[in-house]
Amino acid sequence: MSKKQQHTVDPVGKSVPRVDAFEKVTGEAKYVDDMFFGPDMYYGKLVLSPHAHAIIKKVDVSKALAYPGVKAVVTGEDTPYRIGLYMQDRYIFARDRVRYVGEPVAGVIAISEEIAEAAAKLVEVEYEVLEPLFDPYEAAQPGAPLIHPDMESYTWPPFIFPEPGTNVSEHFKLRRGNVSDEGVAQEVWDQCAAIVEQTFRLPPIQHVPIETHVAVALWELDGKVTLWSPSQSPFAQRDLIAQGMGISHGDLRVISPYVGGGFGGKAGVSIEANVVAMARAVKGHPVKVRMTREEEFTTTNVRQSLYAHTKIGCDAEGNLLAMETEYYFGGGGYNDYGVNIARAAGYSCTGPYRIPNVKGDSRSVYTNTPIGSAMRGFGMPEIHWGIEQIMDQLAEKIGMDPAEFRRKNAVRTGDTILTGMKMTPINLVACIDKAKELIGWDEEKKPSAPNKKRGVGIAIMWKAPAMPPNPGSSAIVRFNEDATVNVYVGGQEIGQGAFTVAAQMAAQALGVPFEWVRVSANPVDTKYSPYEWQTVASRITWSMGNAVKRAAEDARRQIIDIVAKYWDEDPEDLDIRDGVVISYKSEREQPLKKMVIYGLPNENYEGWQGGPIIGRGKFMPTYVTNLDPETGQGTRAVVHYTVGAQAVDLEVDTETGQIEIIKIASVYDVGKAINPDLIMTQIEGGAVHGMSSAFEGIFFDKDGRPINASLVDYKIATIQDIPKKVVGDYVETPLPDGPWGARGVGEHVMVQTAPAIANAIYNAIGIRVPDLPLSAEKIYTAIKEKEAKEKGE
Amino acid sequence: MRPFDYYKPKDFQEAIALLSQEGKKTFPVAGATDLIPMARDERWLPDIVVDIKALPGLRELKLIDEGLYVGAAMTMNEIAASPLVKSTWDVLAQGASSVGHNQVRNRATVGGNIATSSPAADTPPSLLVLEAIVVVRGPEGERRIPITEFFLGPRRNALKKGEIIVGLILPTPPEGAVGSYHRISRRHGADLAIVGVAVLAYPKAEGFGWRVALGAVAPTPIRVPQAEATLSAAPGKPDEAVISQAIQEAVAASRPIDDIRATAKYRREMIATLMRKAIEDVLEKL
Amino acid sequence: MLHEITLKINGEEYQVAVKSHHTLLTVLREQLGITSPKRGCENGECGACTVILDGKPVNSCMVLAVEADGSTIETTEGLAKDGNLHPLQEAFIEHNAVQCGFCTPGMLMSAKALLDFNPHPTEEDIKVALAGNLCRCTGYYRIIEAVKDAAVKMEAEK
């Protein structure tokens, strides 16, 4: 490389280059489908349900098995196991019934992918078609046909509250202030000068990672199992598959190289359990299954649909007084991950606002649609879509600037928030002010052509990592002879820069230059990597960061102790700077080279001390408490919140309804910017992802078959669709238990983009669109209706 | 994808013989950008694929007495960048540069774009206003099909089994002609047209002659003769009333459908928007 | 049906027997072990499989391998020369134009083909050239900056 040799001391807070970039620009970086498994490998193809809801009467695999080159066919008969991250509601292969179009019913294993594909068509499944349910609100009503009639036999963790006998897989209740189960007390509403009540709907959308799901599994003759998958959660995959299939955790090894785009879609278990089950049928042969782009839409997972009905009121001065909200998430055929999204939406149901009286009900509901699962923002983009549009309308009703309205009501550090928890340190007001400044909130903006109308909008957000109370992280720091350092982590590099940040933190805590650190985490390998719960929830910088910092501090302490003894000095007087142990007292220096492996001799070589330095560190939040199931109240609902503000400047073409985004300005409170430029890359990518999501949706025919499950008709933003400009900044209000005060910002950057756009559209043309997506046709039609109405009046 | 056989003949006789085989599904292929996805989805099940790129004349683009000859296997990018095309037949360059994205335009050919006969294809509206002639060779020799008679329905056309599109003849438009192609799609980058409108106008003895063609709003790409007549009857440049009337006539002649990309209603509205833009664009250049 | 074909890939000649219906992407990845062109949609929509075929960027999933007989093919594996990164690769690193990295090889190929043909592209030229390469991570801004920067550096190196 022609690059000059870099030497970066104290890298935390500096925009060092990504440690994974070199491999990725040379093509050396290997993804699962790039790996070579030798001539013994077989290929698998999943047989998918063509029906949204049906009883499986009979599965006949005889013709498929007889097809030349086919080695085995696996069906639900072979896999009587239920799996699921929270709600264990899903058979690996459907057994009694299918619950969405695209559900795996069987898996064909053959010597080539083509043969597997051809034979998969020969698997004969007899179905008795049942009435499907697509709308989460309707599916939640009493008397709706049951999608999971045996729900009470499932297992779930104590913080999930399903309602067996209905299609509701989770019901989170939030009751605060002067409220009852019927709602906020009328006397509170009577104090409101403005009330807005509205229904919002969001269709399911897909992550569209450019790498589709792929998995390779090998079940060896001695019972050891290896799974290769691009996973945000190799350890969770190991746990769920081991538990579900009765394999010892010690015998199941998950190897996960670079992930070609995650966004939540590669969290938890999707097709991986199917592939492990298929590998069991052909022991000794690796089996590879890869999703086509079309299958990625139907058979992996999606962001749930949402039906939201929300009513919020404020007094004449703009103080928010009351909120009632009902969220119905269309969780899909299985809600194994989705129940926790409804829960997160419940305990954060107000958005980042001070509202004294709140009645919230958040439900995930079984529907006969693809599995709803984690996606960047985890329920927050969905609920902020409505909340942020209502806030604008309230501000308008009382004649207040929408940014000022948000400043006034924005949650502040130390507030007792809706769950009764004390708000962790943040500065949302500063985010709003900076976003206003970056967008030029108070400047007059002229449209570029007579047929265009220009508008600005703002939206704010909050999000907490949504997870069990005690997800753990661990890390190991190991020195080499030349004092270079290998950092072992189990968190995954999904593009966000996790490995780079881990290297920065280790170097900073150790006192060595950044360039001395190597991150040994590709692939993440459950056999060798330290435990990490999952790379989700924007928790890695914070949680894994803490573990890395502690591991580095542990190693540092060991080194200092050895040198202190060697010099006969107080360890408190010693420090490690730029790879050298120094004494502030004696001003002596001891380079780390060699001594971190060989130790140091005693005087006159009368023996030695020290030895190879290995530091270990772990982190697990220990303070999250249960919430009351009837009120959602408790001491500490979540570990912390991250907040931010986004402002949008756009034009609407009134002749087509098309929207041209001129600028998006994003400001988030990151606690501490470990790598400022990586934050900017999240801000830019997130703004485009958020914008794109406002125009996306998966749509179904009357039988539940997706009609746009391909990139031909499911369009994500191309380089020609991006806003003219995305600008950003951050605020640093340190998080007390964050490494150097840091918290994550990977998801937040897209949470409120869609409502910020919606608010800007309203500002431009006076039209509110309560349902996503924001298609040009929808905007155009609304413009024409408004014109007709105005003419009529 | 189901396996098939592939041949790349050097002469028409061999190519036509291969394509004419009874009892086999045979497909001529040039850019393969339609064949591969269709075969992968098994919506097309070819037994034999005949690569026609090596046949004489298919990769030529040249001036001939009647105007311009464009070999069927010329790619969209080659057409869009051709100074010859841009000189007099620019509306085709505009259509060709709207197809898919750069990688696709390096493979997709003009012959393929019309052979697939998708109602939403981007070159047919331009070819319609240029009054292109499709040169075809088959078991019964060569024949010429006016582009107006080529398209029969969605993915249906006048080609018979064994026939190959050799190229297109683009007659030289009347002196001073200018054309404009406008389209709308959901996304700016690489998306299928919801509506495409091509307009061509040229000075005549009194006023201007007009040709208008629409894509994605009927079972085939269409010319709209009544709208053309209205515009052409104007004594000079058409005024607002004439343009509005022509647009109404064009909309009336369309038969759009509802699909995932847009409703018929929106398509009709966008015919109006785009046709107006295209006419204004042409008027500016006339 | 099998065809013996010759491909010149990154300067090396390969002789390989390919099936009629196999795409260039399949042959590069599965038969020749050249894995920088990625499989993203096999439908010509995502651009992750972009290679430069006889000087032009194409989706290798939209080319039958047999059609490429006798062609010259460039992939990301051949970008670095004599142990030195191509200016585009350096610029992608410097501008943080890489996140998950899955679209990167295809992006680099489209960008290289652009700069080979048009050494002074405008921002609009870059967008037109890269419109067939989807990226879900970066928002594309850094990629545009990297291509612009590489163009300047390549000019200076001349």
Side-chain angles (χ1 to χ4, degrees):
Chain A
M1 214 165 67
S2 65
K3 287 196 74 96
K4 48 218 169 286
Q5 202 60 43
Q6 300 282 335
H7 186 93
T8 316
V9 181
D10 291 339
V12 162
K14 292 181 183 159
S15 296
V16 295
R18 297 180 65 105
V19 297
D20 55 336
F22 190 94
E23 303 176 66
K24 287 177 176 176
V25 301
T26 55
E28 285 164 30
K30 293 282 178 247
Y31 300 80
V32 168
D33 197 37
D34 302 337
M35 296 167 83
F36 184 65
F37 293 91
D40 287 340
M41 182 164 80
Y42 293 155
Y43 293 83
K45 186 78 186 170
L46 300 179
V47 178
L48 305 176
S49 167
H51 300 294
H53 197 190
I55 301 284
I56 298 175
K57 306 282 276 187
K58 197 173 137 202
V59 182
D60 182 354
V61 303
S62 53
K63 282 186 190 148
L65 261 180
Y67 195 87
V70 170
K71 293 294 172 183
V73 181
V74 175
T75 69
E77 286 290 294
D78 307 301
T79 54
Y81 319 110
R82 281 211 178 91
I83 58 168
L85 183 66
Y86 296 103
M87 188 82 180
Q88 283 167 23
D89 61 1
R90 179 155 64 95
Y91 283 123
I92 295 173
F93 286 100
R95 285 170 64 81
D96 48 349
R97 69 166 78 193
V98 288
R99 295 176 170 92
Y100 65 96
V101 172
E103 179 170 358
V105 176
V108 176
I109 304 131
I111 55 171
S112 78
E113 198 169 31
E114 278 170 13
I115 291 172
E117 203 178 319
K121 293 194 176 76
L122 302 177
V123 172
E124 293 169 327
V125 187
E126 205 180 299
Y127 294 101
E128 179 192 326
V129 177
L130 301 175
E131 186 191 336
L133 295 166
F134 305 123
D135 183 283
Y137 181 74
E138 285 168 20
Q141 298 311 309
L146 295 184
I147 295 173
H148 287 263
D150 42 359
M151 200 202 301
E152 70 265 349
S153 69
Y154 300 172
T155 53
W156 56 80
F159 53 84
I160 297 297
F161 300 96
E163 294 174 343
T166 74
N167 287 314
V168 176
S169 58
E170 154 72 355
H171 182 180
F172 184 91
K173 297 179 198 169
L174 197 292
R175 307 283 183 267
R176 181 158 190 87
N178 192 356
V179 301
S180 68
D181 279 350
E182 273 65 60
V184 174
Q186 189 54 43
E187 61 193 21
V188 179
W189 292 118
D190 290 345
Q191 293 166 38
C192 292
I195 297 172
V196 174
E197 182 172 6
Q198 205 170 358
T199 300
F200 302 90
R201 287 172 193 270
L202 295 85
I205 64 173
Q206 225 266 335
H207 313 74
V208 193
I210 310 302
E211 177 202 39
T212 59
H213 278 67
V214 53
V216 180
L218 169 64
W219 196 301
E220 286 174 82
L221 297 173
D222 64 2
K224 289 200 179 68
V225 183
T226 307
L227 167 67
W228 292 262
S229 74
S231 176
Q232 295 176 241
S233 33
F235 286 91
Q237 267 184 4
R238 182 181 68 167
D239 184 37
L240 295 178
I241 294 171
Q243 277 192 56
M245 295 183 68
I247 309 168
S248 160
H249 288 74
D251 291 335
L252 176 58
R253 176 180 179 191
V254 180
I255 299 176
S256 187
Y258 285 129
V259 176
F263 314 111
K266 288 171 186 157
V269 173
S270 172
I271 60 160
E272 298 80 15
N274 301 76
V275 184
V276 170
M278 287 160 80
R280 188 176 58 178
V282 288
K283 289 188 177 117
H285 291 268
V287 175
K288 179 190 272 193
V289 177
R290 47 189 172 197
M291 293 284 97
T292 64
R293 178 57 63 184
E294 292 73 20
E295 290 168 341
E296 185 74 13
F297 281 99
T298 58
T299 302
T300 65
N301 49 59
V302 301
R303 186 174 94 182
Q304 307 92 314
S305 64
L306 175 68
Y307 166 99
H309 184 88
T310 304
K311 179 182 177 187
I312 307 177
C314 67
D315 67 17
E317 284 74 50
N319 298 299
L320 288 168
L321 297 181
M323 175 179 195
E324 286 174 11
T325 192
E326 303 236 30
Y327 300 139
Y328 293 86
F329 286 91
Y334 300 90
N335 289 184
D336 61 312
Y337 212 132
V339 289
N340 200 36
I341 299 170
R343 181 173 189 269
Y347 62 63
S348 296
C349 72
T350 53
Y353 292 98
R354 303 165 139 174
I355 310 181
N357 303 291
V358 184
K359 186 238 170 203
D361 289 272
S362 182
R363 297 170 177 89
S364 62
V365 184
Y366 288 118
T367 49
N368 295 111
T369 52
I371 298 179
S373 189
M375 178 166 160
R376 201 175 195 178
F378 209 72
M380 296 304 108
E382 296 96 302
I383 68 167
H384 282 75
W385 169 248
I387 295 167
E388 283 304 281
Q389 292 199 66
I390 290 182
M391 293 304 171
D392 253 37
Q393 295 173 63
L394 287 172
E396 189 185 17
K397 281 194 170 194
I398 60 153
M400 194 183 258
D401 172 78
E404 191 49 40
F405 185 85
R406 288 179 171 82
R407 279 184 105 258
K408 186 177 186 107
N409 289 289
V411 68
R412 281 150 170 90
T413 305
D415 280 359
T416 302
I417 58 170
L418 72 167
T419 52
M421 162 181 160
K422 286 263 180 289
M423 186 65 186
T424 50
I426 44 95
N427 193 343
L428 180 51
V429 171
C431 294
I432 296 171
D433 290 344
K434 281 197 174 197
K436 277 177 68 180
E437 196 187 316
L438 287 171
I439 208 77
W441 184 253
D442 299 316
E443 294 158 20
E444 203 202 331
K445 296 182 173 64
K446 293 205 173 69
S448 64
N451 60 319
K452 297 197 174 161
K453 301 257 201 232
R454 194 155 168 190
V456 291
I458 192 165
I460 60 176
M461 63 75 64
W462 72 354
K463 183 190 179 294
M467 49 195 190
N470 56 340
S473 295
S474 57
I476 294 167
V477 165
R478 206 194 78 187
F479 271 94
N480 302 310
E481 291 87 335
D482 62 354
T484 55
V485 183
N486 288 73
V487 176
Y488 295 76
V489 289
Q492 186 57 284
E493 177 56 69
I494 60 172
Q496 81 284 46
F499 291 176
T500 307
V501 163
Q504 286 177 266
M505 290 181 174
Q508 182 79 30
L510 283 166
V512 303
F514 170 72
E515 290 74 14
W516 289 14
V517 178
R518 314 280 182 270
V519 178
S520 301
N522 181 33
V524 173
D525 182 338
T526 58
K527 189 169 173 180
Y528 298 111
S529 306
Y531 180 85
E532 182 65 54
W533 178 64
Q534 298 196 61
T535 300
V536 296
S538 306
R539 62 181 281 280
I540 288 297
T541 297
W542 162 71
S543 182
M544 186 180 92
N546 273 326
V548 168
K549 181 167 181 269
R550 288 175 184 184
E553 284 165 353
D554 181 29
R556 181 181 176 279
R557 204 158 36 241
Q558 294 173 39
I559 295 166
I560 284 183
D561 285 349
I562 295 164
V563 177
K565 242 183 177 174
Y566 179 58
W567 287 340
D568 193 22
E569 288 197 42
D570 184 346
E572 292 297 309
D573 294 329
L574 270 50
D575 197 0
I576 306 177
R577 301 285 306 155
D578 199 9
V580 178
V581 183
I582 55 168
S583 165
Y584 292 119
K585 201 173 170 193
S586 64
E587 297 187 0
R588 274 190 284 199
E589 294 192 351
Q590 170 64 49
L592 293 184
K593 274 181 192 171
K594 292 188 178 165
M595 68 88 36
V596 285
I597 295 291
Y598 303 120
L600 290 167
N602 293 332
E603 219 178 333
N604 299 325
Y605 289 85
E606 306 262 328
W608 289 72
Q609 31 182 307
I613 301 293
I614 293 185
R616 70 179 178 92
K618 66 178 169 66
F619 177 78
M620 187 182 86
T622 52
Y623 42 72
V624 172
T625 63
N626 254 341
L627 303 179
D628 183 278
E630 293 308 316
T631 64
Q633 299 299 301
T635 317
R636 183 88 180 250
V638 296
V639 290
H640 57 257
Y641 278 93
T642 300
V643 299
Q646 249 179 352
V648 171
D649 175 6
L650 56 70
E651 282 188 334
V652 182
D653 182 335
T654 56
E655 291 174 349
T656 61
Q658 287 179 320
I659 292 158
E660 297 280 343
I661 297 185
I662 295 163
K663 198 192 222 182
I664 298 181
S666 304
V667 184
Y668 292 87
D669 190 341
V670 302
K672 165 75 185 175
I674 303 295
N675 187 320
D677 200 51
L678 285 187
I679 290 174
M680 284 310 301
T681 63
Q682 286 302 303
I683 279 176
E684 292 165 16
V688 171
H689 193 183
M691 176 206 76
S692 186
S693 73
F695 299 92
E696 295 172 21
I698 304 174
F699 298 97
F700 302 89
D701 69 12
K702 64 177 178 30
D703 299 318
R705 293 185 186 92
I707 55 174
N708 61 334
S710 80
L711 296 179
V712 177
D713 280 316
Y714 188 101
K715 303 310 277 187
I716 68 167
T718 72
I719 199 166
Q720 290 183 307
D721 299 304
I722 58 177
K724 285 204 180 78
K725 230 179 197 173
V726 170
V727 295
D729 201 352
Y730 50 81
V731 169
E732 294 180 302
T733 308
L735 179 66
D737 74 347
W740 292 273
R743 59 185 150 254
V745 73
E747 300 166 281
H748 316 83
V749 288
M750 73 165 287
V751 163
Q752 79 277 41
T753 318
I757 291 170
N759 290 341
I761 291 172
Y762 180 80
N763 184 242
I765 57 173
I767 284 166
R768 285 241 164 249
V769 183
D771 300 343
L772 283 173
L774 292 170
S775 67
E777 172 163 2
K778 199 182 277 177
I779 306 285
Y780 179 84
T781 306
I783 292 170
K784 290 293 148 191
E785 279 168 7
K786 185 164 178 265
E787 282 174 5
K789 214 168 153 193
E790 281 165 1
K791 259 185 214 160
E793 275 165 12
Chain B
M1 200 188 300
R2 204 182 71 159
F4 51 73
D5 289 343
Y6 167 94
Y7 299 92
K8 191 174 184 180
K10 295 242 172 7
D11 62 65
F12 280 103
Q13 202 186 343
E14 188 191 350
I16 291 163
L18 283 164
L19 287 167
S20 305
Q21 290 178 71
E22 282 306 316
K24 303 243 178 183
K25 286 207 175 72
T26 62
F27 284 77
V29 65
T33 53
D34 282 319
L35 176 98
I36 293 175
M38 292 303 259
R40 191 179 75 90
D41 291 354
E42 302 193 349
R43 279 188 284 172
W44 293 355
L45 293 166
D47 298 306
I48 292 173
V49 166
V50 179
D51 189 339
I52 58 172
K53 287 195 284 293
L55 295 177
L58 267 84
R59 298 274 309 135
E60 281 176 17
L61 196 152
K62 61 185 179 191
L63 288 173
I64 54 172
D65 290 347
E66 296 148 279
L68 185 70
Y69 171 82
V70 183
M74 294 305 292
T75 68
M76 295 300 169
N77 268 347
E78 287 166 343
I79 291 167
S82 158
L84 265 182
V85 176
K86 288 205 266 193
S87 66
T88 311
W89 298 271
D90 186 58
V91 68
L92 177 61
Q94 294 174 41
S97 66
S98 307
V99 171
H101 51 72
N102 195 34
Q103 291 95 312
V104 164
R105 288 193 297 275
N106 278 332
R107 295 296 294 172
T109 64
V110 68
N113 204 226
I114 63 169
T116 300
S117 301
S118 158
D122 279 302
T123 60
S126 297
L127 294 171
L128 279 164
V129 297
L130 290 170
E131 304 192 328
I133 295 153
V134 186
V135 182
V136 166
R137 275 182 79 161
E140 283 144 43
E142 187 172 300
R143 62 183 182 122
R144 294 180 169 205
I145 311 169
I147 190 83
T148 44
E149 292 165 27
F150 184 81
F151 302 109
L152 302 180
R155 299 193 177 274
R156 289 201 306 117
N157 56 45
L159 287 179
K160 293 182 200 146
K161 179 150 183 168
E163 283 189 325
I164 299 164
I165 301 173
V166 178
L168 292 154
I169 294 168
L170 307 183
T172 306
E175 187 67 28
V178 292
S180 182
Y181 178 66
H182 281 250
R183 78 198 293 272
I184 185 169
S185 54
R186 295 159 297 184
R187 288 288 166 99
H188 294 302
D191 194 5
L192 296 165
I194 289 172
V195 176
V197 179
V199 170
L200 185 101
Y202 51 88
K204 60 180 169 87
E206 283 193 13
F208 300 90
W210 291 82
R211 298 175 194 163
V212 180
L214 311 177
V217 292
T220 67
I222 53 167
R223 284 274 293 266
V224 282
Q226 216 182 333
E228 292 178 355
T230 299
L231 289 166
S232 302
K237 289 189 173 181
D239 61 14
E240 174 52 34
V242 170
I243 294 172
S244 293
Q245 193 194 329
I247 286 172
Q248 271 184 24
E249 286 159 352
V251 171
S254 70
R255 279 185 289 149
I257 55 162
D258 291 345
D259 65 15
I260 179 73
R261 298 186 265 283
T263 64
K265 187 166 177 286
Y266 184 67
R267 284 195 161 96
R268 280 190 208 99
E269 300 270 356
M270 288 307 107
I271 294 171
T273 298
L274 297 185
M275 191 166 147
R276 183 177 297 278
K277 281 187 186 181
I279 290 171
E280 282 168 3
D281 200 14
V282 163
L283 284 174
E284 217 164 273
K285 289 191 235 166
L286 269 174
Chain C
M1 190 173 179
L2 271 180
H3 308 264
E4 283 282 347
I5 64 165
T6 306
L7 303 172
K8 193 167 189 185
I9 307 171
N10 301 325
E12 298 289 332
E13 214 166 84
Y14 294 80
Q15 253 133 33
V16 57
V18 302
K19 288 183 180 167
S20 296
H21 67 292
H22 279 182
T23 63
L24 180 58
L25 174 67
T26 297
V27 169
L28 288 173
R29 290 180 58 84
E30 313 281 328
Q31 284 181 252
L32 300 175
I34 295 169
T35 57
S36 77
K38 304 295 183 213
R39 185 187 302 268
C41 71
E42 292 184 280
N43 211 35
E45 295 285 339
C46 78
C49 68
T50 303
V51 301
I52 302 176
L53 178 71
D54 292 331
K56 290 181 180 141
V58 300
N59 294 313
S60 59
C61 75
M62 286 287 108
V63 178
L64 295 173
V66 56
E67 283 184 279
D69 188 14
S71 298
T72 299
I73 294 165
E74 297 166 64
T75 73
T76 295
E77 281 89 345
L79 257 189
K81 294 270 187 289
D82 309 321
N84 293 315
L85 292 184
H86 188 277
L88 272 168
Q89 292 172 306
E90 290 195 338
F92 268 57
I93 296 176
E94 275 168 35
H95 290 270
N96 272 334
V98 175
Q99 287 190 29
C100 87
F102 203 77
C103 75
T104 307
M107 279 294 176
L108 286 167
M109 286 298 103
S110 282
K112 176 173 189 288
L114 169 69
L115 296 185
D116 285 350
F117 166 76
N118 175 4
H120 306 288
T122 62
E123 185 157 325
E124 189 50 33
D125 294 337
I126 295 170
K127 287 184 175 180
V128 169
L130 301 185
N133 293 82
L134 297 178
C135 169
R136 192 62 146 171
C137 298
T138 64
Y140 304 102
Y141 298 98
R142 303 306 181 97
I143 292 167
I144 295 169
E145 290 309 310
V147 175
K148 281 186 190 166
D149 191 24
V152 170
K153 285 194 179 134
M154 284 164 76
E155 187 62 26
E157 277 173 25
K158 268 184 199 163

